Amino acid sequence: MSNSTVATSNYVNFYDYQGKYKGIGAWLLSVDHKRIGLLYLFSMITFFLIGMTLGFFMRLELWTTGETIMKPQTYNALFTLHGVIMIFLVIIPGIPAGFGNFFLPIQIGAEDVAFPRWNLTSWYLYTIGGLFVIVSLFLSGGPIDTGWTFYAPYSIRTGTQVILPLLGAFILGFSSILTGLNFIVTVHRLRAPGMSFFKMPLFVWALYSTAWIQIIGTPVIGITILLVIVERMFGMGVFDPALGGDPILFQHLFWIYSHPAVYIMILPAMGVVSEIIPTFCRKTIFGYGAIAMSSLAIALVGTLVWGHHMFTSGMSDEARWIYSFLTFIVALPSGVKVFNWVATMHKASIKPETPFLFVMAFIFLFSIGGLTGLVLGSLATDVHLHDTYFVVAHFHYVMFGGTIFVFFAALHYWFPKMFGRMYNTKVANTALAIMVIGFNMLYFTFFILGYLGMPRRYYDYLPEFQGLHQFATVGSWVLIAGILLMLGNLFVALRKGEKASANPWGGMTLEWTIPSPPPLTNFEKIPTVKYGPYEYEHYKEVVKDEQ
Amino acid sequence: MSNNANTHILEHTDSHSSGHVHRDDYGSKMGMWLFLFTELLLFGGLFVLYMAYRTEYFTFFQLGAKELKIWMGALNTIVLLTSSLTMVLSIVALQRGNIKGSIAWLISTIGFAFGFLIIKYFEWSDKFHHGIMPGGEELLNMPQGVKVFFGLYYSMTGLHGLHVIIGIGLLTFMLIRILLGKVTPDKFVPLENAGLYWHLVDLIWIFLFPLFYLLH
Amino acid sequence: MAEHHSNDGRIAHAHAPSYGINIMIWLILISLTVLTVAIAGIDLGRLTLVAALLIAAIKSAFVINYFMHIKFEDLLFKVFLWLVLLVLLIILVLTAFDVFYR
């Protein structure tokens, strides 16, 4: 009784469905996970562009030594804001809040998440948190200048506006917790009949593992934020050394969340990669079980390695070698994933469509980022590289080259499903190529700068670094050009793109068995699942089309 | 597809667009436990700080603890333990169909919560009066370790007290829901969930009491 | 009572709710509180902290198992709780490796 690829007279996609609310209310008051996912996507892309603009101006300032276009205080505020926006408003919510919200229920055969109203609340909190951050820029004291890491005691003593952006971050944390909570209950309670845990798509495994980090890690930065606020307001004496406090303890509490946060960032991205590769290889993924378990392993071990941000802070030697050891351990499950992805491609019949090309870029960029993480995880080398541009390069490779490139890949993969239209793949691929070139021009240069001794967050630098800085700045222009081309292409496709079928890529997970865009409740009838998510020998039976 | 199937889908879809949620008590309870885990980690961070500072400043912690009144801490412990009992009794009563009893036990719980806050108020205002408060004269003259002790004391008992206040709000909300007939002997999980929150508040104090008041 | 993805648990049913057992638990908790205060008066050096925390842990176990009902819930809830407590413990231990050895 399949009519999944044919629009019947019953089929009303979720945009056109006339519900209780009309117009803007249909977006702001809807508890439909698909609309909420899209709200998040558009918010995050907006914040990404703002953060990108800040980065653009930072690189302009660094064109010459000394003052170029702004004063030092402004520069400090810029890099703080760049970090706060990119980390808390873009990359952490990133894939889970956007694509997770849209596709998790569909991929497990459900009509929505477990708590649709808490889901909408989560987006409201996200927006309010973002507003707090933006508004704080204009309040007394001026924009916060502590760096996104707001280390004590400076964050306690600086005259800039600290409390409001930190409150914004606190609210954003709540948003993240609610998303994680929703996803865990959804996965446990709403899987379709026949979908055991080991028949779930790997994207779902990734989101599930991430959700646990969101639950366990986020409260710790919550308390850190509250303590800094309270110490600023009342002189509480918890972190400030003038009152007997220990700044290293601040760093512990801060990084107990902020390190697992990077796994919140990368795990869902790895989940997306595990979706895209089998689809474009038309082949089941190599080592499904290992990849699923590696997501859990990364979540667990990743929660324990935070001290590798503090090797030069004054921690005990015993602590330092334990954290270094654990850091090397956590690289192993990531290695398992990369190995399994490559093994999947071996002897596969590959269709190098746009999403697949983005994933290839990701594997290249993330591997560089991951390997340089080991350089930083090793005590002896970290002592020289800590707080230099080497670190900045490393985390841009993993967070930007990693998560964000996969965010872009996911956009291109699921665009036809979400919007029912196709984009110009030639332009998309060209944009990707430009981005990869610009990215490496910008960030590979940072590895060299860092190795040569250029410190991070510095407004000024020694003249011998100028050439490299300028090269990097030009790279940033190339990168931005590529990003704008990519987004422009997608924006045009929203209105003018060719109509897309239910399954343009030949995927096998459940989202490809329903129309593009999906109807309100996703499925006419909740499916009964017989096979695993990438068992291509059963393709025709599951997808019911003749591709 | 028959007409009936069409109507069913449209009705079903209609109920979705208005935010109608399918009931899942098990899922609801799971969600509440997950939220409690976040509270465990929130306070957990503070306990990490306590552990570190107690190691660094042990004798000063003992000095600081001398300023606290053990009998008040113990009394508050008993107040909270008893409030946990009345909370459970409220749930049991509801499950047994005794709505009036449930309401009475719930009101008692709220009463004990207020009692806790009142005792806390007297404790804190006594200290403030003696200048032992963040930024207070007396405290600034004390050794660093004692400053940190009180920094932690006020942070931890303060955050806990905030949770008591939130708990009062939550329990009152449940009381209203019972009175309105939305929480019933057949739909009691919301009350259980509120109870879970309240027990957590009790649990945190079970640890705060010995760590701050019984330091000699 | 393991439920996979079925309808089980959507509507909760209470199993023989009783007042008595809870009052007993409360009495135990009060006694343990008295014990905690008494022990604090004895100087056992390092052990005083251990004793106090041990009693607090036992009180917690009663609250969590009976008042919070986890003893009678699905195994999954217990697994979740142990997992979270384990992570919290490891975080404490790892931080201790820094703080104790400086």
Side-chain angles (χ1 to χ4, degrees), chain A residues 137-280:
Chain A
L137 302 174
F138 305 104
L139 294 185
S140 76
I144 183 173
D145 66 347
T146 59
W148 80 272
T149 49
F150 64 96
Y151 273 21
Y154 185 68
S155 56
I156 296 170
R157 301 186 190 160
T158 175
T160 58
Q161 177 54 242
V162 167
I163 292 182
L164 202 63
L166 284 190
L167 273 178
F170 185 85
I171 294 171
L172 289 165
F174 246 114
S175 172
S176 184
I177 284 173
L178 283 178
T179 300
L181 192 155
N182 226 331
F183 284 3
I184 291 176
V185 180
T186 303
V187 167
H188 277 280
R189 296 299 288 168
L190 295 180
R191 281 166 291 127
M195 186 174 283
S196 64
F197 264 84
F198 285 95
K199 288 205 175 70
M200 297 193 312
L202 288 169
F203 183 49
V204 178
W205 273 103
L207 289 171
Y208 180 79
S209 310
T210 304
W212 274 105
I213 310 178
Q214 287 170 287
I215 294 284
I216 292 183
T218 316
V220 182
I221 194 144
I223 190 66
T224 312
I225 287 171
L226 288 180
L227 286 172
V228 169
I229 291 178
V230 145
E231 194 151 0
R232 270 183 85 85
M233 285 173 64
F234 303 118
M236 206 57 117
V238 168
F239 294 131
D240 193 342
L243 296 169
D246 181 354
I248 299 182
L249 285 177
F250 171 90
Q251 293 184 33
H252 275 297
L253 279 197
F254 178 85
W255 288 112
I256 288 174
Y257 167 70
S258 301
H259 186 80
V262 315
Y263 295 106
I264 295 178
M265 299 177 201
I266 199 63
L267 273 177
M270 291 170 153
V272 173
V273 171
S274 297
E275 295 295 319
I276 289 179
I277 289 189
T279 298
F280 294 95

Side-chain angles (χ1 to χ4, degrees), chain B residues 34 180 200 212:
Chain B
L34 288 170
L180 288 177
L200 181 84
F212 281 103

Side-chain angles (χ1 to χ4, degrees), chain A residues 352-368:
Chain A
E353 304 269 15
T354 306
F356 184 80
L357 296 176
F358 267 93
V359 164
M360 290 302 104
F362 156 81
I363 292 183
F364 172 65
L365 297 173
F366 180 75
S367 297
I368 295 179

Side-chain angles (χ1 to χ4, degrees), chain C residues 17-88:
Chain C
S18 117
Y19 297 106
I21 174 111
N22 294 303
I23 296 177
M24 248 190 27
I25 300 291
W26 173 75
L27 285 169
I28 296 176
L29 289 169
I30 301 291
S31 318
L32 286 174
T33 308
V34 171
L35 183 64
T36 314
V37 178
I39 287 197
I42 311 169
D43 182 17
L44 299 163
R46 273 270 144 86
L47 281 188
T48 318
L49 174 66
V50 174
L53 284 180
L54 199 61
I55 300 178
I58 295 172
K59 284 161 86 177
S60 306
F62 277 111
V63 171
I64 296 175
N65 274 306
Y66 290 94
F67 285 177
M68 296 173 89
H69 213 61
I70 216 177
K71 187 173 158 73
F72 311 101
E73 302 286 3
D74 212 36
L75 177 63
L76 190 65
F77 289 76
K78 300 180 184 110
V79 168
F80 282 0
L81 180 62
W82 277 116
L83 182 85
V84 173
L85 289 176
L86 182 67
V87 170
L88 196 47

Side-chain angles (χ1 to χ4, degrees), chain A residues 412-425:
Chain A
H412 287 83
Y413 183 54
W414 279 315
F415 190 94
K417 179 57 57 183
M418 292 190 291
F419 302 112
R421 290 184 184 272
M422 201 44 167
Y423 47 83
N424 183 321
T425 50

Side-chain angles (χ1 to χ4, degrees), chain A residues 478-520:
Chain A
V478 175
L479 176 59
I480 289 176
I483 292 172
L484 293 177
L485 179 62
M486 175 193 74
L487 290 175
N489 184 34
L490 291 177
F491 190 71
V492 164
L494 274 181
R495 288 144 200 289
K496 302 223 178 88
E498 233 179 74
K499 281 221 171 351
S501 68
N503 194 359
W505 309 121
M508 260 193 79
T509 40
L510 286 173
E511 73 267 31
W512 305 111
T513 66
I514 63 179
S516 306
L520 182 71

Side-chain angles (χ1 to χ4, degrees), chain B residues 32 35 106 110 163-177 190-191 193-198:
Chain B
M32 191 66 204
F35 175 70
L106 190 51
I110 297 173
H163 279 77
V164 173
I165 296 174
I166 294 171
I168 290 176
L170 183 61
L171 293 176
T172 308
F173 176 70
M174 276 310 136
L175 181 63
I176 296 173
R177 299 280 288 173
L191 186 63
N193 285 348
L196 285 177
Y197 177 86
W198 189 250

